[in-house]
Amino acid sequence: CGVFGMYSAPPNDLAWLTYMGLFALQHRGQEAAGMCVSDGEKFHVEKDLGLVTQVFDERRLDSVRLANARVSIGHVRYSTTGSNLRFNAQPLTTRTNKGILGLAHNGNFVNALEVRAEMLNEGALFATTNDSEVMLNLIARESRLDLVEATAAAMKRLKGGYACVLMSRTQLIGFRDPHGVRPLVIGQRGDDAWVLASEPCALYAVGARLIRDVQPGELVWFDRTGLHSLMVDARQPTPCSFEWIYFARSDSRLDGVDTHESRIRMGMQLAREKPVDADVVVPVPDSGIGAAIGYARESGIPFDYGLYKNPYAGRTFIAPTQEARELKVKMKLSPTSAVKGKRVVLIDDSIVRGTTSRQIVNLLREAGATEVHFRVSSPPITHPCFYGIDTAARKELVASTHSIEEIRDLINADTLAFISEQGLRQAIGGPGICSACFTGDYPAGTPLLNDVDKLA
Ligand code: 5GP
Ligand code: SF4
Ligand code: MG
């Protein structure tokens, strides 16, 4: 998912700016979009299933617009299979003793169901099984505390990997889990407007400049006097490695590490670790491009576009069923003449289920590639993510049930090799990474065994 928030002195068209910010974060989720806008009195909410441009046509955008808007938040959602439901769209809003609140979050609170059960015993009421509602309820019931303190108290209770934006009629709050698993950045627009976003690309989209990342375990808030910060609970930083491998936009810099450059380093590392004799390096667009540039640079084998990507196609994994995913591959990719009669090194960022990869290898063979050597810029994904990246349930992860040789056979490649976990760490650099989906070592905790199926 992607989150966005703005705090600004009026007058300002925050509905429009939030739309622009969400549009820049569209790659982080295409299932639903929503926003809240307040001018200190009125509090408007609109959300629905669909792309940002589909949910917010002119009329809908106009319906959340406020002439003297002061605070806004927004969300784009990508959900786990089966929960593609309208009521799951965010931001979630509730009336509390602190007034109306809106919350948008990226990630997962791994102990949300436990905390929810405890709160039910204490007499709390819930409308959904959504983990956002647990967060909002926790904040609401600390009625002795102000909003910032209540949010800090809730952060201490909920574990997991998350980045959130929260708004009241007059305040914007942002907070990031103690390990900084999910990203969140702060920007400034002119002198008197502040922005929070999952990635810097959304800051640039609204004419703001990057100030810094929200730190792991930090809570920030904005009011008439500007930016404030409270360190709630900082642990060893382990930002999600998948952001750099695949998820983040290549023009985003997260926790001091440039996404595009890190992908090139992954490709160079991969070429050193897993070399192969071949004629051309071909990326699976768009997610394999950075690594393919690196692989070509390091190996000296020329880079070429061997696959055309239809720019009107979305991210394939969003398709809900296997059949839909398979059809969508053809909608999205087709081979070019660059592979004819060539030994191809095919580069992609990840193998999740293996089904897309098999189709792509076969496309290249049909187009006349003599050999296809598959190289992957992430290690085999063997474990599910509990922190908000929907890499599928464990039983669907091909690498959790198959050896590399079995996967090679399944995807019909001549050779198959992955970057090592150590190589990936080196290529990213930075303060440390979460690599739980490759190792099973979860830095920010896991759900109780009973709750795993509900969450992953
Ligand atoms: P596969 O061959 O595993 O079906 O698909 C691998 C390709 O699809 C990679 O290019 C990867 O970027 C993308 N992909 C497929 N499914 C998912 C998914 O569930 N989550 C993520 N993050 N990427 C996926
Ligand atoms: Fe990212 Fe994988 Fe960790 Fe999930 S488990 S946060 S996808 S590195
Ligand atoms: Mg891809």
Side-chain angles (χ1 to χ4, degrees):
C1 302
V3 298
F4 183 85
M6 267 190 92
Y7 181 88
S8 175
N12 245 315
D13 190 355
L14 287 195
W16 167 249
L17 291 168
T18 303
Y19 173 91
M20 296 294 280
L22 291 179
F23 187 72
L25 296 172
Q26 186 76 82
H27 62 288
R28 298 184 68 88
Q30 295 105 33
E31 287 195 357
M35 71 171 85
C36 304
V37 183
S38 180
D39 60 3
E41 304 273 325
K42 296 195 195 78
F43 192 108
H44 288 170
V45 195
E46 281 291 338
K47 54 183 177 174
D48 213 331
L49 296 180
L51 298 171
V52 177
T53 50
Q54 292 168 330
V55 173
F56 292 101
D57 57 18
E58 248 167 78
R59 198 151 46 96
R60 204 116 180 235
L61 195 59
D62 219 35
S63 74
V64 286
R65 190 168 262 141
L66 287 165
N68 288 307
R70 197 169 270 285
V71 199
S72 68
I73 59 171
H75 187 261
V76 288
R77 174 180 173 85
Y78 104 125
S79 74
T80 47
T81 319
S83 50
N84 184 0
L85 298 169
R86 186 152 176 244
F87 70 77
N88 276 328
Q90 295 189 36
L92 187 69
T93 53
T94 330
R95 281 170 202 287
T96 73
N97 46 18
K98 297 183 178 60
I100 189 163
L101 298 178
L103 174 73
H105 89 273
N106 171 213
N108 267 323
F109 306 113
V110 292
N111 62 339
L113 292 175
E114 285 165 73
V115 173
R116 183 173 179 272
E118 288 164 28
M119 293 173 77
L120 282 170
N121 277 337
E122 293 156 14
L125 297 172
F126 288 90
T128 69
T129 54
N130 196 308
D131 55 351
S132 318
E133 197 185 0
V134 179
M135 179 47 108
L136 269 182
N137 238 316
L138 274 176
I139 294 170
R141 86 181 181 163
E142 296 289 353
S143 53
R144 297 165 289 116
L145 306 175
D146 74 14
L147 189 57
V148 168
E149 290 167 340
T151 308
M155 271 174 84
K156 287 183 181 142
R157 189 91 183 265
L158 285 170
K159 297 187 183 349
Y162 56 83
C164 301
V165 290
L166 173 76
M167 68 178 269
S168 66
R169 287 189 172 89
T170 53
Q171 263 181 332
L172 172 67
I173 294 180
F175 51 102
R176 196 173 171 200
D177 70 80
H179 294 276
V181 174
R182 300 261 65 88
L184 191 63
V185 298
I186 307 170
Q188 198 176 5
R189 184 176 186 268
D191 289 332
D192 51 10
W194 295 90
V195 191
L196 289 168
S198 294
E199 294 181 38
C201 61
L203 307 179
Y204 311 143
V206 299
R209 61 190 187 278
L210 175 65
I211 299 293
R212 63 177 177 88
D213 296 81
V214 175
Q215 296 304 301
E218 188 187 17
L219 185 159
V220 295
W221 72 99
F222 304 89
D223 59 22
R224 284 167 201 268
T225 59
L227 164 67
H228 308 271
S229 160
L230 178 69
M231 191 52 82
V232 177
D233 182 14
R235 305 286 174 93
Q236 165 69 31
T238 55
C240 168
S241 56
F242 226 73
E243 292 282 350
W244 289 291
I245 293 165
Y246 167 76
F247 208 50
R249 236 168 73 162
S250 59
D251 59 338
S252 283
R253 186 182 184 84
L254 297 174
D255 292 308
V257 178
D258 182 87
T259 309
H260 181 61
E261 285 167 16
S262 75
R263 286 173 190 165
I264 291 176
R265 287 195 299 270
M266 289 172 211
M268 293 176 73
Q269 178 69 21
L270 189 56
R272 285 192 290 269
E273 290 183 8
K274 310 288 158 65
V276 63
D277 226 5
D279 306 310
V280 63
V281 176
V282 165
V284 177
D286 295 320
S287 56
I289 292 174
I293 292 170
Y295 198 100
R297 192 176 288 176
E298 181 71 18
S299 65
I301 304 169
F303 173 100
D304 207 347
Y305 281 105
L307 287 161
Y308 171 79
K309 185 188 168 199
N310 187 326
Y312 304 100
R315 284 190 160 186
T316 335
F317 67 91
I318 296 299
T321 66
Q322 193 59 35
E323 195 192 358
R325 272 193 291 274
E326 290 191 11
L327 273 175
K328 278 190 88 172
V329 174
K330 290 223 159 160
M331 267 177 76
K332 185 168 156 178
L333 295 172
S334 68
T336 73
S337 57
V339 301
K340 194 165 195 270
K342 301 274 176 61
R343 295 171 301 167
V344 174
V345 193
L346 182 64
I347 311 278
D348 205 356
D349 64 279
S350 56
I351 291 184
V352 181
R353 298 175 183 85
T355 46
T356 322
S357 309
R358 186 185 63 229
Q359 283 188 278
I360 293 168
V361 172
N362 289 336
L363 284 178
L364 296 186
R365 290 198 190 282
E366 286 161 25
T370 56
E371 293 171 13
V372 180
H373 302 277
F374 210 117
R375 294 293 179 272
V376 188
S377 62
S378 60
I381 301 174
T382 50
H383 292 73
C385 176
F386 297 121
Y387 309 139
I389 297 275
D390 180 23
T391 43
R394 183 158 187 181
K395 60 180 185 307
E396 289 177 51
L397 295 170
V398 69
S400 80
T401 48
H402 294 71
S403 68
I404 292 180
E405 172 55 20
E406 286 168 338
I407 302 170
R408 183 206 60 72
D409 189 52
L410 212 78
I411 68 173
N412 195 26
D414 290 277
T415 66
L416 167 66
F418 298 78
I419 197 173
S420 66
E421 204 243 335
Q422 195 47 44
L424 176 69
R425 279 180 188 278
Q426 270 175 32
I428 292 173
I433 51 167
C434 173
S435 59
C437 47
F438 314 119
T439 61
D441 182 9
Y442 293 91
T446 57
L448 291 177
L449 214 51
N450 282 341
D451 298 337
V452 164
D453 284 347
K454 295 172 208 154
L455 291 171

